[in-house]
PDB file of all heavy atoms in Angstrom:
ATOM      1  N   GLN A 359     150.360  60.776  78.971  1.00 97.00           N
ATOM      2  CA  GLN A 359     149.555  60.774  80.182  1.00 97.00           C
ATOM      3  C   GLN A 359     149.598  59.419  80.892  1.00 97.00           C
ATOM      4  O   GLN A 359     149.737  58.377  80.256  1.00 97.00           O
ATOM      5  CB  GLN A 359     148.096  61.094  79.839  1.00 97.00           C
ATOM      6  CG  GLN A 359     147.888  62.433  79.166  1.00 97.00           C
ATOM      7  CD  GLN A 359     148.298  63.597  80.033  1.00 97.00           C
ATOM      8  OE1 GLN A 359     147.960  63.649  81.217  1.00 97.00           O
ATOM      9  NE2 GLN A 359     149.035  64.545  79.456  1.00 97.00           N
ATOM     10  N   ARG A 360     149.447  59.464  82.193  1.00 98.00           N
ATOM     11  CA  ARG A 360     149.234  58.226  82.944  1.00 98.00           C
ATOM     12  C   ARG A 360     147.830  57.730  82.635  1.00 98.00           C
ATOM     13  O   ARG A 360     146.877  58.522  82.557  1.00 98.00           O
ATOM     14  CB  ARG A 360     149.383  58.469  84.440  1.00 98.00           C
ATOM     15  CG  ARG A 360     149.148  57.207  85.266  1.00 98.00           C
ATOM     16  CD  ARG A 360     149.472  57.355  86.728  1.00 98.00           C
ATOM     17  NE  ARG A 360     149.326  56.077  87.402  1.00 98.00           N
ATOM     18  CZ  ARG A 360     149.664  55.845  88.657  1.00 98.00           C
ATOM     19  NH1 ARG A 360     150.195  56.830  89.388  1.00 98.00           N
ATOM     20  NH2 ARG A 360     149.509  54.652  89.201  1.00 98.00           N
ATOM     21  N   LEU A 361     147.679  56.426  82.426  1.00 96.00           N
ATOM     22  CA  LEU A 361     146.381  55.846  82.121  1.00 96.00           C
ATOM     23  C   LEU A 361     145.702  55.432  83.424  1.00 96.00           C
ATOM     24  O   LEU A 361     146.236  54.617  84.189  1.00 96.00           O
ATOM     25  CB  LEU A 361     146.549  54.639  81.194  1.00 96.00           C
ATOM     26  CG  LEU A 361     147.039  54.991  79.784  1.00 96.00           C
ATOM     27  CD1 LEU A 361     147.432  53.733  79.020  1.00 96.00           C
ATOM     28  CD2 LEU A 361     145.982  55.770  79.015  1.00 96.00           C
ATOM     29  N   GLU A 362     144.533  56.000  83.663  1.00 90.00           N
ATOM     30  CA  GLU A 362     143.870  55.774  84.950  1.00 90.00           C
ATOM     31  C   GLU A 362     142.404  55.387  84.777  1.00 90.00           C
ATOM     32  O   GLU A 362     141.565  55.729  85.600  1.00 90.00           O
ATOM     33  CB  GLU A 362     143.992  57.026  85.824  1.00 90.00           C
ATOM     34  CG  GLU A 362     145.435  57.370  86.167  1.00 90.00           C
ATOM     35  CD  GLU A 362     145.562  58.547  87.119  1.00 90.00           C
ATOM     36  OE1 GLU A 362     145.380  59.694  86.664  1.00 90.00           O
ATOM     37  OE2 GLU A 362     145.849  58.305  88.306  1.00 90.00           O
ATOM     38  N   ALA A 363     142.108  54.696  83.689  1.00 92.00           N
ATOM     39  CA  ALA A 363     140.767  54.129  83.529  1.00 92.00           C
ATOM     40  C   ALA A 363     140.522  53.153  84.680  1.00 92.00           C
ATOM     41  O   ALA A 363     141.470  52.669  85.309  1.00 92.00           O
ATOM     42  CB  ALA A 363     140.666  53.419  82.181  1.00 92.00           C
ATOM     43  N   PRO A 364     139.272  52.842  84.986  1.00 92.00           N
ATOM     44  CA  PRO A 364     138.978  51.973  86.144  1.00 92.00           C
ATOM     45  C   PRO A 364     139.793  50.685  86.178  1.00 92.00           C
ATOM     46  O   PRO A 364     140.253  50.263  87.238  1.00 92.00           O
ATOM     47  CB  PRO A 364     137.474  51.691  85.978  1.00 92.00           C
ATOM     48  CG  PRO A 364     136.952  52.909  85.296  1.00 92.00           C
ATOM     49  CD  PRO A 364     138.036  53.337  84.344  1.00 92.00           C
ATOM     50  N   GLU A 365     139.969  50.069  84.992  1.00 90.00           N
ATOM     51  CA  GLU A 365     140.720  48.798  84.963  1.00 90.00           C
ATOM     52  C   GLU A 365     142.233  49.003  85.048  1.00 90.00           C
ATOM     53  O   GLU A 365     142.981  48.022  85.127  1.00 90.00           O
ATOM     54  CB  GLU A 365     140.361  48.018  83.693  1.00 90.00           C
ATOM     55  CG  GLU A 365     140.825  48.657  82.394  1.00 90.00           C
ATOM     56  CD  GLU A 365     139.865  49.686  81.825  1.00 90.00           C
ATOM     57  OE1 GLU A 365     138.954  50.134  82.559  1.00 90.00           O
ATOM     58  OE2 GLU A 365     140.024  50.031  80.636  1.00 90.00           O
ATOM     59  N   MET A 366     142.697  50.256  85.031  1.00 95.00           N
ATOM     60  CA  MET A 366     144.134  50.527  85.064  1.00 95.00           C
ATOM     61  C   MET A 366     144.562  51.358  86.268  1.00 95.00           C
ATOM     62  O   MET A 366     145.758  51.556  86.460  1.00 95.00           O
ATOM     63  CB  MET A 366     144.560  51.271  83.792  1.00 95.00           C
ATOM     64  CG  MET A 366     144.398  50.496  82.514  1.00 95.00           C
ATOM     65  SD  MET A 366     145.077  51.397  81.103  1.00 95.00           S
ATOM     66  CE  MET A 366     144.572  50.356  79.751  1.00 95.00           C
ATOM     67  N   LYS A 367     143.619  51.824  87.074  1.00 95.00           N
ATOM     68  CA  LYS A 367     143.952  52.787  88.123  1.00 95.00           C
ATOM     69  C   LYS A 367     144.883  52.225  89.183  1.00 95.00           C
ATOM     70  O   LYS A 367     145.596  52.982  89.856  1.00 95.00           O
ATOM     71  CB  LYS A 367     142.682  53.312  88.788  1.00 95.00           C
ATOM     72  CG  LYS A 367     141.867  52.277  89.543  1.00 95.00           C
ATOM     73  CD  LYS A 367     140.615  52.893  90.122  1.00 95.00           C
ATOM     74  CE  LYS A 367     139.763  51.846  90.849  1.00 95.00           C
ATOM     75  NZ  LYS A 367     140.445  51.298  92.033  1.00 95.00           N
ATOM     76  N   ASP A 368     144.921  50.916  89.343  1.00 97.00           N
ATOM     77  CA  ASP A 368     145.804  50.307  90.336  1.00 97.00           C
ATOM     78  C   ASP A 368     147.116  49.808  89.737  1.00 97.00           C
ATOM     79  O   ASP A 368     147.912  49.149  90.420  1.00 97.00           O
ATOM     80  CB  ASP A 368     145.092  49.140  91.037  1.00 97.00           C
ATOM     81  CG  ASP A 368     143.948  49.615  91.917  1.00 97.00           C
ATOM     82  OD1 ASP A 368     144.066  50.713  92.504  1.00 97.00           O
ATOM     83  OD2 ASP A 368     142.938  48.895  92.010  1.00 97.00           O
ATOM     84  N   GLY A 369     147.338  50.121  88.454  1.00 98.00           N
ATOM     85  CA  GLY A 369     148.577  49.726  87.793  1.00 98.00           C
ATOM     86  C   GLY A 369     149.415  50.933  87.426  1.00 98.00           C
ATOM     87  O   GLY A 369     149.019  52.086  87.625  1.00 98.00           O
ATOM     88  N   PHE A 370     150.581  50.655  86.844  1.00 98.00           N
ATOM     89  CA  PHE A 370     151.542  51.718  86.545  1.00 98.00           C
ATOM     90  C   PHE A 370     151.628  51.939  85.039  1.00 98.00           C
ATOM     91  O   PHE A 370     152.652  51.702  84.407  1.00 98.00           O
ATOM     92  CB  PHE A 370     152.905  51.365  87.146  1.00 98.00           C
ATOM     93  CG  PHE A 370     152.833  50.983  88.605  1.00 98.00           C
ATOM     94  CD1 PHE A 370     153.407  49.803  89.065  1.00 98.00           C
ATOM     95  CD2 PHE A 370     152.174  51.793  89.518  1.00 98.00           C
ATOM     96  CE1 PHE A 370     153.339  49.447  90.403  1.00 98.00           C
ATOM     97  CE2 PHE A 370     152.092  51.442  90.867  1.00 98.00           C
ATOM     98  CZ  PHE A 370     152.663  50.260  91.305  1.00 98.00           C
ATOM     99  N   TYR A 371     150.526  52.389  84.478  1.00 98.00           N
ATOM    100  CA  TYR A 371     150.389  52.501  83.027  1.00 98.00           C
ATOM    101  C   TYR A 371     150.652  53.928  82.547  1.00 98.00           C
ATOM    102  O   TYR A 371     150.239  54.897  83.182  1.00 98.00           O
ATOM    103  CB  TYR A 371     148.979  52.099  82.598  1.00 98.00           C
ATOM    104  CG  TYR A 371     148.632  50.663  82.858  1.00 98.00           C
ATOM    105  CD1 TYR A 371     147.923  50.293  84.001  1.00 98.00           C
ATOM    106  CD2 TYR A 371     149.003  49.665  81.962  1.00 98.00           C
ATOM    107  CE1 TYR A 371     147.593  48.971  84.246  1.00 98.00           C
ATOM    108  CE2 TYR A 371     148.674  48.339  82.196  1.00 98.00           C
ATOM    109  CZ  TYR A 371     147.963  47.993  83.342  1.00 98.00           C
ATOM    110  OH  TYR A 371     147.640  46.677  83.573  1.00 98.00           O
TER     111      TYR A 371
END
Side-chain angles (χ1 to χ4, degrees):
Q359 301 298 314
R360 179 172 185 173
L361 292 169
E362 297 184 284
E365 67 274 15
M366 296 186 187
K367 65 182 178 65
D368 292 326
F370 309 128
Y371 296 97

